[in-house]
Amino acid sequence: MSARNTPPAAGPIRPFEFPAVTEQLLGNGMEVRLVSAVPLPVVTAMVVLRAGETASPAGREGLAVLAGDALEGGTTRLSSRRLARALEDIGASFGAATGWDSTTVAVSCMAEHLPDAMPLLAEMVRSPAFEDGEFERYRAQRLATAAQRRMDPAALAADAHARFVFAEGGTYARPVGGTEASIGGIAVGDARDFVAGRYGPSEAALVMVGDVEEREALAAAEAGFGDWDRVAALPADPVASPGQRERVVHVVHRAESVQSRIRVGHVGVPRSVEDYFALIVLNLVLGGSFSSRLNLNLRERHGFTYGVRSSFAPRRGPGPFAVSTAVENAVTGAAIGEIFREIEGLVEEGPTRDEVEAATSYLAGVFPLRLETTGQIASRIAGMTVYDLPDDYYRSYRDRVRGVTAAHAARAARHHIRPGELCTVVVGNAEEVVPQLEGLGIGPVTVHEEAVTPAAR
C-alpha cells in the first residue's frame, strides 16, 4: 500500500490554557469578569442577565425572548436609527440572545472604542425605549417565526416531542420563543414591566474579553453600570416533570409528507449533573458525531438517512434527551427499531474503550478551536456565570474530559438513559407509518392532526 493511501497517525494534542479570569464586584453588587491581554486588538463586552425564558409569566410565554429582541429598537435617549448609527460610527457589532436561563447583550469593537461602546451597551440594558412601533415590528417577527415552526416538519417534530416528553404546563413543554397564542397576547407594557422587574445588577454580570487593561475595563464598567440600583427578582425554578413513565408513540399526521421526521427521547438532566463530562462523552459515542453508533448504523450501514444525531440539552432544570433524524416513510419503522436497538445496547453494555478514547481525544482536540474569538470566550464565561460553574472549570476542562473512562461513560448511560421511558414522535403520513410503528411493539400509538396543542394529549 502506498504512503498516500495511509493516513498519518494522530499527533499529540497541542497544549492550550484557558485565559485567566479576573473577578471584581461593583458597589451595587454587579459582578465583573475580565479576561485581558487577549492577542487580538478587539474587545467584547457582554452583559449576562439571569432573565431567561423561565422568568416569563404564565400566559405570556415568549416575553423574555421578545424583550431581548427589542433591545435593539432604541433607548429612551436614542432612537433605533440613532443607536444603529452610534454603533456603526465606532465599528461596533451588537447582539442580544435569550435562552431558557439567561439573556445576553453584547457589543464587540476595537479596544480603543470601548469607552464609547460601554455607554451604549449600558443604555440598551438599563433604559430600552420599547417604542410602540418598533416593539410591534419585533413582535410581528416573533409571530412569523412561530407560524413558520408550524409549517416546518423538523420544528413541528421538536415542538411536539417537547409537549409529550414534559408534563402539561411544564416550563419546557413549549418552544422557547413562545407560541402564536402567547406572543399575540404580549403588549409593549409587558416588556417594560419585565425589564423593570428582571433586569438589575444583583442578577447580572458584566463579562469583558479583549485587549484592555484591567484598570481601564473596570473604569468603563463603573461608568456604565456603577450607579445602576434596580432590584431584580430571582427567576422561579423551572418545572420539568416527565409527561409519562412508559413508552409511548405519537404520530403527527401530514398527509402530503414523503418523509418522516423522528424524535425519540425523554426528560434528561440539569446542567448541574455531577457526571456531566461522562455524559457528553457518552453522547458523542451514541449520536453526537459523524462516527457515532447511530450514524454508522442508520446512515452508513442501512442508508436510511443523511444524518442522525442525539443530544442532551441541560439547562437549570432537566432539559430533553433526544435522538432526531428524517427518513423515508417506507423505512420509518425499521429506522426507529434501529434507534431503540442502539440505545438499549449502549445502556446494557456501555461503550468500548476505543470509542471513549476517540471521543475524549476529539473533545479535547477541538476545544481550543471553539475559543478563537473574544465573543466565544465571553460566551463561555457567561455560561460559567449562569450555571455557577467553578472558576477553574474551563482551565481544567481538557483534563476532566480526558479523565472519562469507559466505566464512567457506562455508568452515565445506566443512570441517565431510560429505554423503558422513551417517547417517540413521528411527523409524517400516518396511513403509511402507523402500521410499521404498531408492529414494533414500543408502546401505544396515538395519531394527532398536524396542529398539535397541549389539549391534544
Side-chain angles (χ1 to χ4, degrees), residues 8 10 55-56 73 82 86 113 155 179 204 208 218 245 251 256 275 283 289 296-297 300 324 329 349 421 449:
S56 292
R82 290 180 62 197
H113 294 304
T179 64
M208 286 183 283
L218 291 175
R245 291 289 189 181
V251 178
E256 73 281 7
D275 51 355
N283 183 68
S289 68
L296 291 178
N297 183 331
E300 301 301 316
S324 59
N329 289 339
E349 301 172 7
E421 297 181 21
E449 291 305 313

Side-chain angles (χ1 to χ4, degrees), residues 196-245:
R198 298 290 180 176
Y199 288 17
S202 61
E203 295 304 315
L206 176 63
V207 177
M208 286 183 283
V209 179
D211 183 18
V212 57
E213 297 287 341
E214 180 177 345
R215 178 179 53 80
E216 179 187 356
L218 291 175
E222 187 67 41
F225 295 96
D227 62 346
W228 195 18
D229 61 358
R230 181 183 295 160
V231 177
L234 288 168
D237 290 333
V239 178
S241 302
Q244 87 294 319
R245 291 289 189 181

Side-chain angles (χ1 to χ4, degrees), residues 157-183:
D159 292 348
H161 196 247
R163 286 194 189 95
F164 295 123
V165 162
F166 293 98
E168 186 171 358
T171 306
Y172 304 140
R174 54 146 178 109
V176 66
T179 64
E180 288 174 89
S182 65
I183 298 167

Side-chain angles (χ1 to χ4, degrees), residues 333-348:
I336 293 174
E338 292 301 318
I339 290 172
F340 272 70
R341 189 172 73 83
E342 292 293 352
I343 291 174
E344 291 169 345
L346 190 60
V347 172
E348 291 173 5

Side-chain angles (χ1 to χ4, degrees), residues 106-128:
V107 293
S108 294
C109 60
M110 299 297 289
E112 63 190 270
H113 294 304
L114 178 63
D116 301 311
M118 188 64 77
L120 298 175
L121 175 63
E123 277 194 56
M124 285 185 277
V125 172
R126 297 178 57 178
S127 56

